[in-house]
Each structure stands twice: as C-alpha cells, then as structure tokens.
Amino acid sequence: MSFVDRCFPSLYVEGVFTRIGLRALHTWTHERLDQLLSHALTLSQEQFVAEIPGFGAASIQDQLSHVVQCEQAWVHALQDIEWTHWAREDYTTPDQLRTVKQRVTFETIAYLDQLSDTQLNAQLVHRPSNWSGPLQTPAFILHHVITHSFHHKGQIVAMFRLLGHPAPDTDLQRD
C-alpha cells in the first residue's frame, strides 16, 4: 500500500484522484498558509518585505503572493479564463494577502466542485490560451498547486527563521 493510499484514502481511489480528497488536501494546505499569514503579522513591515538572498521570491511578501498568484493563474488557465499578473504594491501586508487568498481559495473550490471525478481525471483536450507545457488532467494541475504551495511554505518557514522569527509547526499531521 502506497503512502498516498495509507495517508489520504479518499484522495486517490482506483487510480483516480477524487474531488473530495483534493478538496480536503487543498483546505489543509490553505490552513497552513493561514498560519504563516498570521505569523507574518508578528513581523515589522520592513521584515515582511525584506529581501533575503538565495530565494527566487526574495521576501516573505513575495513568496506568499507568488503562491496565491500561481494558484489563481493555474486554475484560471484550466478554465481558459484570462488572468493578469498582480502588482506587488497591491498586496503589501499579510491582511491584504489573506483577503486575496480567501478569494482565490473560493475560486479554486468552486471550480473543483463543478467537476465530476471523471472530468477531474480526464486529460485536457483543448489547449487553453495561457497554457504552457503538456496538457494534463485538472487533478494533476490541482495536485501541483498543492505541492507548489508546500514547496514555498518550506521556503517561507526558512525565511522566518533567518529573520529571527521562527514560524509555528505547519506540518499537515499537526493540529
């Protein structure tokens, strides 16, 4: 039995991802991002926007914005909806990012909830206008959104440590 089957029995059933499983994993991911946004409120504004060498998105602000923007971009691309890159100056505080994250979360869940498990696991046949890379299934892309978020969550946790403000434990297995 694989790790996914043991830990997320409703995520992947008989070779396909399920809406219920992806929805749960997406919710847990966003709960962890909310923990980081709450922790970001303990930083000064200067620390929140401070550029830390060695990270592709150089500040905590940029990392959090990148995670949310990418989710919106990929979910919009799946639906062939236009998307415009956000201006950095529009999301300069953790509260502003939390507000836009809530909207993006709602959009993702609304998209996911309109799909059947069959549609979720069917490879795209139409190339959306803003698509790069091979056509995948919506499940694959949504799973990528989640793993992408966790990749950057780890970077954000490291950034907090480098700023002298260690983040709380954000592992999925913790309450």
Side-chain angles (χ1 to χ4, degrees), residues 13 33 70 75 130 134 145 157:
V13 177
L33 292 174
C70 284
V75 172
N130 291 329
V145 164
V157 167

Side-chain angles (χ1 to χ4, degrees), residues 87-102:
R88 186 177 197 266
E89 57 273 6
D90 290 342
Y91 303 100
T92 59
T93 69
D95 283 332
Q96 289 171 326
L97 283 166
R98 185 186 312 271
T99 299
V100 72
K101 186 188 81 59
Q102 289 170 341

Side-chain angles (χ1 to χ4, degrees), residues 156-175:
I156 295 165
V157 167
M159 294 170 102
F160 276 121
R161 284 188 196 122
L162 290 170
L163 290 170
H165 290 271
D169 189 349
T170 57
D171 284 349
L172 280 181
Q173 66 182 357
R174 309 282 196 257
D175 283 335

Side-chain angles (χ1 to χ4, degrees), residues 135-153:
L135 294 178
Q136 299 288 350
T137 66
F140 180 94
I141 298 303
L142 292 169
H143 189 263
H144 178 69
V145 164
I146 292 164
T147 60
H148 176 261
S149 295
F150 266 85
H151 164 74
H152 286 288
K153 180 188 74 70

